[in-house]
């Protein structure tokens, strides 16, 4: 999937496995599409506008959370960089910033 | 899915649509399982221990993020409750706490 490659570039400096997340979420979408002529799945019928919107909002939620985690990790890296520049021990930084 | 009903109880006081999220993630798992005898999906082969672990970690990540969001919402509700008790206007609370 070329689009996944683009996202991989965005998240390559984080420890977020965007490829695995994309596989899960897009697999979920495929499954719900393949399932749509059968009974609702988990009580959600994506043939209805309401069901479709719920899945849309769930994807938006997950994307927001993944980007938020990316921001948190960027911030942690900036903290670690400043601590390193200030001469703080690398082990102390590792334990303190990443717990 | 009875297990989804249990999660719905846990998240019923939040605006997290745990049912839609469960539909997406479990649909993703079903899709990856159904797909496993074909080529890898998104470059991930769940027949290998490495591919399997990546999907496992992606699920752990998503579950962690969903619970974190639940905690954030609980905290916001606690703030709103304290503001209401202190006599702050409801509209001001709504705008200030939920943006």
């Amino acid at each position: 999937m070329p689009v996944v490659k683009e996202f991989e570039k965005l998240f390559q400096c984080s420890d977020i496995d965007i490829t695995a997340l994309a596989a899960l979420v897009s697999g979920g979408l495929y499954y719900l599409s393949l399932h749509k002529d059968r009974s609702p799945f988990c009580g959600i019928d994506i043939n209805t506008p309401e069901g479709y919107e719920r899945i849309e909002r769930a994807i938006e939620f997950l994307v927001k959370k993944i980007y938020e985690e990316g921001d948190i990790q960027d911030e942690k890296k900036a903290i670690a960089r400043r601590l390193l520049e200030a001469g703080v021990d690398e082990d102390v930084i590792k334990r303190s910033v990443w717990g």
Side-chain angles (χ1 to χ4, degrees), chain A:
Chain A
M1 278 194 194
V3 72
V4 175
K5 295 279 162 220
E6 290 304 310
F7 281 108
E8 279 173 358
K9 279 185 213 159
L10 274 178
F11 287 92
Q12 64 187 354
C13 293
S14 75
D15 64 5
I16 298 168
D17 189 348
I18 195 70
T19 315
L21 290 163
L24 252 184
V25 176
S26 54
L29 271 177
Y30 281 154
Y31 186 82
L32 288 167
S33 302
L34 290 167
H35 203 276
K36 78 180 171 56
D37 294 328
R38 312 284 299 177
S39 54
F41 183 61
C42 286
I44 293 175
D45 183 354
I46 64 158
N47 294 303
T48 65
E50 191 232 351
Y52 189 89
E53 274 164 32
R54 284 177 73 182
I55 296 300
E56 223 174 24
R57 280 198 300 270
I59 294 169
E60 277 170 12
F61 171 83
L62 293 178
V63 170
K64 193 186 106 192
K65 287 284 146 195
I66 292 167
Y67 273 92
E68 266 178 24
E69 178 65 23
D71 290 342
I72 293 167
Q73 293 199 9
D74 285 348
E75 186 61 27
K76 283 185 171 183
K77 273 179 204 143
I79 293 169
R81 202 169 41 243
R82 288 193 294 266
L83 287 167
L84 201 63
E85 282 165 8
V88 178
D89 180 76
E90 276 191 50
D91 268 351
V92 172
I93 297 174
K94 210 171 169 182
R95 282 201 310 275
S96 310
V97 180
W98 277 278

